[in-house]
Amino acid sequence: MTTSPAEPLKGAGTSGQGLKLLAVTACPTGIAHTYMAAEKLAQAARSLGHEIKVETQGSIGAENLLSDNDVRDADAVIIAADKDVDRSRFVGKRVLAVGVAEGIRHPEQLIERVRSAPVYGGAEGAGGGTGAGAGTGAGAAPASGGAGGGKERSVGYKALMNGVSYMIPFVVVGGLLIAISLALGGHPQADGGLVIPDDSFWKHVNDIGVIGFTLMVPILSGYIAYAIGDRPALVPGMIGGWIANTGSLYDSKAGAGFIGAIVTGFLAGYLVQWIKKVEVPKFARPIMPIIVIPIVATTALGLFFIYVIGRPIAWVFTHLTGWLGGMTGSSAILLGALLGLMIAFDMGGPVNKTAFLFGAGLIASGNQTVMGMCAAAIPVMPLGQGLATLVRRRLYSEQERETGMAALFMGLFGISEGAIPFAAARPAQVIPANMLGGAVAGALAGMTGVTDAVPHGGPIVAVLGAVGGVPAFFLAVVAGSVVTALTTVMLVDVAERRKGGGVPGAAGADVGADAGADVAAAGGSPAAAGAEPVGVRVGVGAGAVGGGGVASRTAAEAVSVPPAAGSVPSAEGSVPAVAGSVTSGAGSVPAHASASAHEADGSAADTAVTGGNDVSSDGTERDDAPDVEVLSGYLTERTIKTQLVADEKEAAIREMAELVAGTGKVADVDELVRVALAREAQGTTGLGEEIAIPHAKTDAVTAPVVGFARSADGIDWGSLDGTRARLVFLISVPEAAAGDEHLRILALLSRKLMDADFRARLQSAEDEEAVLRVLGEIQ
């Protein structure tokens, strides 16, 4: 619970004593927005004369963790997050909770508002669990009002996104296994059908996929409930979802599908919350969360769905079937549009199943045109949603884009469930777009007389010869998919602009295509021991992104990254170099002493270059110094080229691959080029600001290696800001090192490349040796 403070905190701005603030930033995917909000809050605090420490809960875990001492000494806490953050540690502190976009767009206003934010009591929420369910109970501190707007994501939104995120792997695994088993183990029949023989290997693969699909709906329901009511809500949520998806339990031929699962998830979560408030004797409290609450909630919810909610679902199914039966003599175009709308509405629910079974039931009577309409509409949803993730990548998170690729594959095999994660996450935008595309496909199929001899849909049935009027069938599928994709993009874009004021990306989608996401995700691994990842006590090192609104910034500017190691000012104003010792090929060499505060822009970082080179007191390298190595020795003078010959992207990547192959760490240059180009096909690695960082994760390299090259005229890399790439880094790592090492290298590069002065010096360096000295600042 919360209580209102008696009066706001005193002291603000540069004219008064600064506040000691804490912040936590997080988004569902933990990529760009998490670090952008952290950087913006740090910059705002600095400019207002306050002290702040920011904990980021990003894609590689929580970093710069707030300690008990930090919390004890803090005046107030800002939580800018679109996912659950445990607030029990902030009891007794003023807590302002808003969405992560507010941390990006209005950091100064948040700092002003937190001074009069309510004090978090935590009496109801402190006992909550960890993970997805933490901090979502009634004790969560609400966002305070006031100027500047910006509210915390609702519990309902967070719960829905929690369920969707856990459901996605089941959709992908189940759908792809079914599709693969049909493609490799199915045998065409005389009637054009596709059958997998019983007891065959591929039948067992198919059965495993079906299990994944069967679990998909209960998982969605269970983890929605878990995010609301914590662990006691998990069992009633999952069992409720199973009941919702099993129509035979309430005399319906079709289950309620994913829409029913969303209903049972929320019902289970809030029912458990209500039961938790019931006062019970002290001796019964230990068994409440593990026995009493799950049993009571599961029984009550199950019976409620069977006897109350299930009956209307069965009624809808029966009457829709009868109604459709009376339309068979009406216009084929109208019937096709109606069937397409129904197929696309709930993807497995009663409305979808009514249309599908209606079409399938007429096949035996010789009327195959109705099933032809259904077959054209069935793949439209996954194909359209997958296409949408390709058309406007910036609107989707990395996880959503991966799900989109899987949805495209499932759509080819007529598995409409591939679109369910998108519909569950954004029902107001995705379901209407699906229905419009389904209606278009169904109407075109009806108008052109498409037929289908088997109760299945998608391109696979046409390939196997079950469809009559194949060209018209594919025209209908393509038209419907394109309509769905474009409508989805339009609706999602409008919704995000209204909600985020120009910061696109529902569910924490990263800004600026996949390239920006990769760099933002790299905000994790500190370069050296003792380096604090984001927003340590303010006064952090160089490369801070300044300037105006987020919407107008380039992808490179939008990426907020940790300060370079060793750039944290001490109380005396000195900037210590990398602590401890650094390793060269010959062994361990002590790092040099500190540089003065005015060198914090990175010019002093030469004193901490790895590789054992000696540096004189004036910062210049001695003539007898050995070769400089940076990025843990992955980038050396041998992997630098001051002028690329290539004038286009593919040739430049090949030229750089051949460059790094000179180290002996590349076993197959052609494969390295192929993987790097495949990565480019997923989304440009041109970050803007004349920078490109192509990268490849492949066993074509035997050890991590990084190359750098310049282009005088620039190369068209498809950067979001339209600039031509003049500074190009190629990162190549083996598959075994693709995780942390890949992200660490990206983090180190992105820190320094945010610094315009660093880029200018890199451009003007005369030769490879001079370039290497500049690159030696990357720590």
Side-chain angles (χ1 to χ4, degrees):
M1 60 185 296
T2 59
T3 57
S4 299
E7 58 180 320
L9 291 169
K10 302 296 184 182
T14 56
S15 61
Q17 182 180 2
L19 303 176
K20 287 187 176 181
L21 302 175
L22 300 180
V24 180
T25 62
C27 60
T29 55
I31 304 181
H33 286 177
T34 299
Y35 301 102
M36 290 167 63
E39 183 68 18
K40 295 295 285 186
L41 285 168
Q43 292 175 9
R46 181 195 302 119
S47 65
L48 295 174
H50 302 307
E51 189 177 352
I52 193 170
K53 181 176 180 180
V54 186
E55 175 181 301
T56 56
Q57 296 188 5
S59 57
I60 57 175
E63 301 169 272
N64 205 33
L65 293 173
L66 305 179
S67 67
D68 292 342
N69 290 336
D70 292 329
V71 175
R72 183 194 64 212
D73 297 337
D75 295 312
V77 181
I78 298 171
I79 298 176
D82 284 347
K83 71 176 188 178
D84 301 314
V85 173
D86 183 9
R87 304 176 197 170
S88 59
R89 50 185 167 158
F90 302 136
V91 171
K93 297 295 179 180
R94 301 171 190 273
V95 175
L96 174 67
V98 297
V100 70
E102 283 300 299
I104 300 170
R105 296 190 295 123
H106 302 130
E108 295 87 356
Q109 295 177 9
L110 296 184
I111 291 173
E112 180 62 27
R113 288 166 56 193
V114 77
R115 298 173 58 224
S116 56
V119 174
Y120 179 60
E124 298 175 17
T130 59
T136 57
S144 55
K151 296 181 180 179
E152 181 186 14
R153 293 285 195 183
S154 66
V155 171
Y157 173 85
K158 293 180 180 179
L160 181 61
M161 293 309 304
N162 193 59
V164 169
S165 66
Y166 280 100
M167 174 186 67
I168 285 175
F170 289 86
V171 176
V172 173
V173 171
L176 293 184
L177 286 178
I178 291 173
I180 291 170
S181 64
L182 286 171
L184 299 180
H187 296 285
Q189 303 300 300
D191 61 358
L194 187 66
V195 175
I196 302 175
D198 290 337
D199 297 326
S200 67
F201 172 80
W202 291 112
K203 176 62 175 174
H204 293 150
V205 173
N206 185 270
D207 291 341
I208 294 171
V210 170
I211 291 172
F213 258 12
T214 304
L215 289 173
M216 168 185 69
V217 173
I219 289 293
L220 172 64
S221 176
Y223 280 98
I224 289 173
Y226 176 64
I228 297 171
D230 207 7
R231 287 180 178 84
L234 189 59
V235 170
M238 286 194 174
I239 294 178
W242 189 284
I243 293 172
N245 203 39
T246 309
S248 60
L249 293 174
Y250 41 90
D251 299 324
S252 173
K253 293 183 180 179
F258 82 95
I259 295 178
I262 292 174
V263 172
T264 56
F266 281 105
L267 286 177
Y270 286 111
L271 177 61
V272 166
Q273 266 199 351
W274 178 77
I275 297 174
K276 283 181 178 179
K277 296 178 181 179
V278 176
E279 292 292 336
V280 297
K282 188 174 182 179
F283 71 86
R285 291 175 188 171
I287 64 171
M288 288 292 290
I290 58 174
I291 298 178
V292 178
I293 293 178
I295 289 177
V296 172
T298 301
T299 304
L301 176 63
L303 294 176
F304 178 76
F305 200 97
I306 291 172
Y307 288 105
V308 179
I309 299 178
R311 293 185 182 277
I313 292 174
W315 182 90
V316 167
F317 185 92
T318 301
H319 284 75
L320 276 177
T321 303
W323 180 56
L324 285 175
M327 291 189 64
T328 52
S330 62
S331 167
I333 297 177
L334 177 60
L335 180 59
L338 180 60
L339 289 173
L341 287 170
M342 295 173 65
I343 288 288
F345 174 65
D346 54 1
M347 291 167 287
V351 178
N352 170 281
K353 279 294 189 291
T354 297
F356 177 81
L357 294 178
F358 176 69
L362 291 177
I363 293 176
S365 65
N367 184 351
Q368 299 178 358
T369 57
V370 175
M371 191 62 218
M373 303 171 194
C374 296
I378 284 171
V380 162
M381 297 80 74
L383 291 176
Q385 294 306 321
L387 182 60
T389 64
L390 298 177
V391 172
R392 292 291 293 277
R393 294 176 62 84
R394 69 179 183 84
L395 292 176
Y396 295 90
S397 68
E398 186 175 2
Q399 183 185 43
E400 287 174 316
R401 292 196 294 268
E402 292 172 354
T403 305
M405 296 300 294
L408 286 170
F409 189 74
M410 284 185 256
L412 297 177
F413 290 85
I415 303 172
S416 59
E417 287 86 348
I420 286 180
F422 299 97
R426 301 182 177 96
Q429 291 80 41
V430 171
I431 292 178
N434 283 348
M435 293 175 68
L436 182 59
V440 169
L444 287 175
M447 181 177 67
T448 54
V450 171
T451 62
D452 183 12
V454 297
H456 197 72
I460 184 65
V461 295
V463 172
L464 294 172
V467 168
V470 173
F473 173 80
F474 277 106
L475 173 64
V477 170
V478 171
S481 301
V482 170
V483 168
T484 289
L486 296 180
T487 305
T488 299
V489 165
M490 180 188 69
L491 294 177
V492 171
D493 197 20
V494 169
E496 292 305 318
R497 290 181 187 279
R498 288 177 178 174
K499 179 169 59 181
V503 182
D510 48 296
V511 176
D514 193 39
D518 280 341
V519 177
S525 303
E532 294 187 282
V534 177
V536 221
R537 298 292 180 180
V538 166
V540 295
V545 179
V550 174
S552 64
R553 291 162 60 190
T554 67
E557 291 174 320
V559 175
S560 176
V561 292
S567 65
V568 184
S570 68
E572 296 77 24
S574 63
V575 184
V578 177
S581 61
V582 291
T583 305
S584 69
S588 182
V589 181
H592 288 270
S594 63
S596 59
H598 75 273
E599 295 172 309
D601 64 352
S603 60
D606 282 340
T607 63
V609 173
T610 62
N613 59 298
D614 199 2
V615 180
S616 63
S617 60
D618 63 358
T620 59
E621 187 178 353
R622 291 195 340 210
D623 292 338
D624 59 347
D627 289 342
V628 177
E629 294 181 349
V630 295
L631 293 174
S632 302
Y634 303 149
L635 194 157
T636 68
E637 192 169 342
R638 299 173 64 189
T639 61
I640 293 175
K641 196 167 190 176
T642 57
Q643 181 56 52
L644 281 168
V645 176
D647 57 3
E648 56 90 23
K649 184 195 296 188
E650 182 173 349
I653 289 177
R654 177 166 292 278
E655 188 175 341
M656 295 195 68
E658 292 171 350
L659 172 67
V660 298
T663 62
K665 297 178 181 178
V666 180
D668 188 339
V669 172
D670 290 338
E671 177 64 10
L672 172 57
V673 172
R674 186 196 68 79
V675 174
L677 290 175
R679 170 61 187 81
E680 292 294 329
Q682 297 174 13
T684 179
T685 57
L687 303 185
E689 297 292 339
E690 302 182 336
I691 302 165
I693 310 181
H695 45 276
K697 296 174 283 188
T698 172
D699 288 331
V701 295
T702 57
V705 59
V706 180
F708 168 72
R710 298 186 306 202
S711 173
D713 297 327
I715 298 170
D716 183 4
W717 220 276
S719 300
L720 296 178
D721 64 354
T723 59
R724 299 173 69 86
R726 299 177 186 273
L727 304 175
V728 183
F729 291 85
L730 174 66
I731 302 174
S732 308
V733 296
E735 285 287 354
D740 292 343
E741 197 63 8
H742 173 233
L743 296 179
R744 188 182 76 85
I745 296 171
L746 277 170
L748 293 171
L749 283 175
S750 59
R751 289 188 187 113
K752 291 301 294 182
L753 290 173
M754 293 298 100
D755 184 352
D757 178 65
F758 174 80
R759 296 196 303 270
R761 286 184 284 111
L762 198 54
Q763 284 274 29
S764 62
E766 295 180 356
D767 52 24
E768 286 85 353
E769 185 178 352
V771 168
L772 193 62
R773 281 200 299 271
V774 177
L775 290 174
E777 300 173 16
I778 300 175
Q779 297 298 326

